[in-house]
């Protein structure tokens, strides 16, 4: 009997050592709504986090479908990193259904990266969502503007530190190292874009306006009549005329847009349609934040020369 008790006690002790060891090494489980934010959260969180994205870069984020697999990921999550400005509003449904109090709006594990971002294309009149306009709060596609990475990663570092305050210094150190790397790339990118500064481009959906503005390029028109509203023939006629008049050389396309249509319009206007890295993972070779920006800089600096 005594021997059995000793055995039980030693098994319990071993188990408790195991769990406390596992606890110390346990990584923070973070869910990002889009892959750009997964990449940035990995840069800030380093070895301390394990990040999953709810969507893939080849998807239209406006139309992501809430799936049971999302709720499973969210139920286990210590933190959620969201884009905000309505881009990932669908995540609210999944988060509410996941029954995880720390990631509901206002919870300490809820991280909105749009905080302190200066929003572009804010509608001057009230936008009616029922008409299909998908940017009612302004343009939400800012995550791949390298100039906003300091603000975005600050939001991520602050959020992760709310969940594990003891790791604040480590997050800040990772963040600074990442921003230093990005700054080195930025010097190269700025130099590559210098010769095409001031060039006008047409976009299918306004995904690149922050990026274009950062490098001194101009979004002259969109193929969509309004954000999220499919191109109408009348509108396309106007855009083609504008492209000819202003000698616009490129239409920037996301992989899931109607690429055939973009090609037809480009051909008509004497331009080229370019499938861009509209997100991390949208095209081959753009599998992290820096690689995606590098892809877009390479594409534009060549095509617009
Ligand atoms: Zn959009």
């Amino acid at each position: 009997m005594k021997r059995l008790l000793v055995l039980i006690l030693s098994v319990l002790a071993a188990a408790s050592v195991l769990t406390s060891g596992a606890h110390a090494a346990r990584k923070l489980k973070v869910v990002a709504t889009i892959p750009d934010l997964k990449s940035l959260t990995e840069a800030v969180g380093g070895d301390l986090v394990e990040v999953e994205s709810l969507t893939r870069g080849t998807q239209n984020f406006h139309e992501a479908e809430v799936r049971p697999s999302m709720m499973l990921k969210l139920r286990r999550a210590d933190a959620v990193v969201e884009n905000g400005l309505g881009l990932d509003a669908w995540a609210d449904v999944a988060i509410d259904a996941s029954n995880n109090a720390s990631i509901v709006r206002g919870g300490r594990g809820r991280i909105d990266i749009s905080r302190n971002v200066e929003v572009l294309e804010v509608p001057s009149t009230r936008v009616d969502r029922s008409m299909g306009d998908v940017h009612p709060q302004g343009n939400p596609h800012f995550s791949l503007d390298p100039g906003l990475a300091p603000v975005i990663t600050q939001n991520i570092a602050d959020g992760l530190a709310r969940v594990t305050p003891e790791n604040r210094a480590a997050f800040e150190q990772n963040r600074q190292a990442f921003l230093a790397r990005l700054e080195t790339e930025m010097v190269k990118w700025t130099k590559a874009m210098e010769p095409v500064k001031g060039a006008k481009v047409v976009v299918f959906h306004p995904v690149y306006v922050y990026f274009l503005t950062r490098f001194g390029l101009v979004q002259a028109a969109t193929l969509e009549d309004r954000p999220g509203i499919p191109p109408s023939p009348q509108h396309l006629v106007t855009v083609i005329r504008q492209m000819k008049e202003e000698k616009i050389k490129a239409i920037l396309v996301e992989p899931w847009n109607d690429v055939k249509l973009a090609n037809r319009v480009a051909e008509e206007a004497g331009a080229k349609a370019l499938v861009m890295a509209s997100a991390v993972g949208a095209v081959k070779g753009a599998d992290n934040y820096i690689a995606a920006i590098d892809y877009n800089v390479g594409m534009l600096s060549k095509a617009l020369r």
Side-chain angles (χ1 to χ4, degrees), residues 60 62 87 134-135 138-141 205-207 224 227-228 254:
N60 178 355
H62 284 297
L87 180 70
V134 292
H135 294 177
N139 192 310
H141 304 285
H205 177 76
V207 173
E224 290 177 338
E254 295 164 86

Side-chain angles (χ1 to χ4, degrees), residues 85-233:
L85 299 178
L87 180 70
D88 41 12
W90 43 264
D92 274 329
V93 179
I95 288 167
D96 289 346
S98 75
N99 243 334
N100 179 346
S102 57
I103 58 168
V104 293
R105 205 162 287 288
R108 63 179 186 149
R110 185 72 173 253
I111 305 169
D112 181 344
I113 58 130
S114 69
R115 193 173 59 122
N116 298 333
V117 167
E118 202 180 309
V119 183
L120 301 179
E121 299 183 337
V122 178
S124 49
T125 51
R126 223 184 128 79
V127 175
D128 187 357
R129 276 212 76 152
S130 69
M131 289 164 71
D133 202 311
V134 292
H135 294 177
Q137 303 168 58
N139 192 310
H141 304 285
F142 59 85
S143 53
L144 281 187
D145 169 5
L148 287 176
V151 180
I152 298 172
T153 53
Q154 182 71 69
N155 288 332
I156 294 173
D158 288 347
L160 294 178
R162 266 198 314 270
V163 181
T164 52
E166 67 276 21
N167 291 325
R168 177 177 282 280
F171 295 141
E172 192 49 35
Q173 205 177 354
N174 291 341
R175 174 176 174 261
Q176 290 303 340
F178 172 73
L179 292 179
R181 262 181 67 213
L182 193 70
E183 190 48 46
T184 311
E185 298 294 328
M186 195 65 181
V187 173
K188 281 192 274 176
W189 293 333
T190 308
K191 207 171 156 206
M193 294 292 256
E194 190 61 40
V196 300
K197 221 173 176 177
K200 291 180 181 176
V201 297
V202 166
V203 299
F204 200 111
H205 177 76
V207 173
Y208 312 99
V209 71
Y210 293 86
F211 175 89
L212 294 170
T213 309
R214 182 70 51 192
F215 291 104
L217 277 72
V218 180
Q219 174 185 298
T222 64
L223 292 194
E224 290 177 338
D225 285 39
R226 286 212 313 280
I229 297 166
S232 68

